[in-house]
Amino acid sequence: MDALIDLFANTQAALYEGVMQPIAFALGLGNRLEDVFDGTGWLLVGLIQIAVMLLVIGPLQRWRPVEAVTDTHAVHTDVIYTLIHRLGVFRVALFLGVEPVLDTLMGELRVHGVGTFHLEDLWPGVTDGPFTSFVIYLVVFDFVNYWLHRAQHQWHWWWALHAVHHSQRQMTQWTDNRNHLLDDLIGAVVWVCVAQLIGIAPTQFVAVVAMTQLFENFQHANLRVSFGKWGERLWVSPRFHRLHHAVGLGHESVPQLAVRGDATEEGATLGGHNFGVLLPWWDVIFGTANFEPRFDPTGIRDQVEAGVDYGEGFWSQQQLGIKRFMHALGFSAEP
């Protein structure tokens, strides 16, 4: 493990010194070199993730697909989303535009006596070990993710954005990053704030994010796989998560009624099943789990049944998401 960490650190340093630092100086970012170094680490993580997707998850999809891929344009759009996120474009925007504001906010909180609580210090000698603390942080952030995900499906304004993710009817390993950028920004801000409050080390944070993202790629894969009766209750499988994307099952509390950015029929409410990102425990505990052994078509009910347009390409999906968002907030008459 130490050898792998050293290899990653040396590769990050070489990439930073040989490529990223000269680019930063050329762009006038000499005062942000620490952020550029951090961004180099994220870029390296993204390259590793893409390699695993191409070399491991991709062959698994071809080995045992749920369905034939017939809409390659939709998949190519998801690849664009993945490259934006995993090659650092979204992360750079976060570093340059949002994190300085959050750092200022956290500084003000500390001035007023709100300090950082280090979870690994709960049981000195036990919880402060590298592996144990990593597991603790992984579980904590997965718990945060569960409630973030439920909020995305419960609050009309947030569902208006999150619907971009569910509009993919041809799910593959690339689908994980098909999200409205504002949706991603909100989630990233929550994660950064939680990370600041619980005192996770930067290297641990990168590891938690990287592991979470890579397993999300696996869970979105076009892969006819379940983990069996007991395995399904220990870790989220592609089957468990595909049901979350199933038409009328994963995004509605009342499956027989159509749902858009707001309630469109009497009694229709947002909701759904299988919100867990890594661990299905939260769905079991809070009553949202569905372990039916099925592989259903994916998409949004009104998209499939009424032909509602959620966009074909990246820009149209982003624009329509903003229109739905403004409508859900009451600023426009039509989504």
Side-chain angles (χ1 to χ4, degrees), residues 15-30 33 36 40 43 92:
L15 182 60
Y16 168 73
E17 294 173 1
V19 180
M20 303 306 292
Q21 188 180 56
I23 292 175
F25 280 122
L27 296 176
L29 297 175
L33 291 181
V36 173
T40 304
L43 171 61
V92 166

Side-chain angles (χ1 to χ4, degrees), residues 32 34-39 42 88-108 110 141 184-196 200-202 205-206 209:
R32 303 299 299 273
E34 185 176 347
D35 289 336
V36 173
F37 182 78
D38 291 340
W42 288 108
V89 177
F90 181 79
R91 183 64 56 178
V92 166
L94 189 66
F95 276 142
L96 298 180
V98 178
E99 287 208 357
V101 177
L102 294 178
D103 288 342
T104 301
L105 175 61
M106 296 305 297
E108 288 295 322
R110 291 190 177 94
F141 277 103
D184 277 332
L185 178 61
I186 296 169
V189 167
V190 173
W191 265 59
V192 171
C193 288
V194 172
Q196 292 267 8
I200 184 173
F205 184 69
V206 172
V209 173

Side-chain angles (χ1 to χ4, degrees), residues 243-264:
L243 191 143
H244 173 72
H245 279 260
V247 179
L249 291 173
H251 60 279
E252 298 176 15
S253 288
V254 186
Q256 71 271 21
L257 297 179
V259 178
R260 290 185 63 187
D262 54 3
T264 56

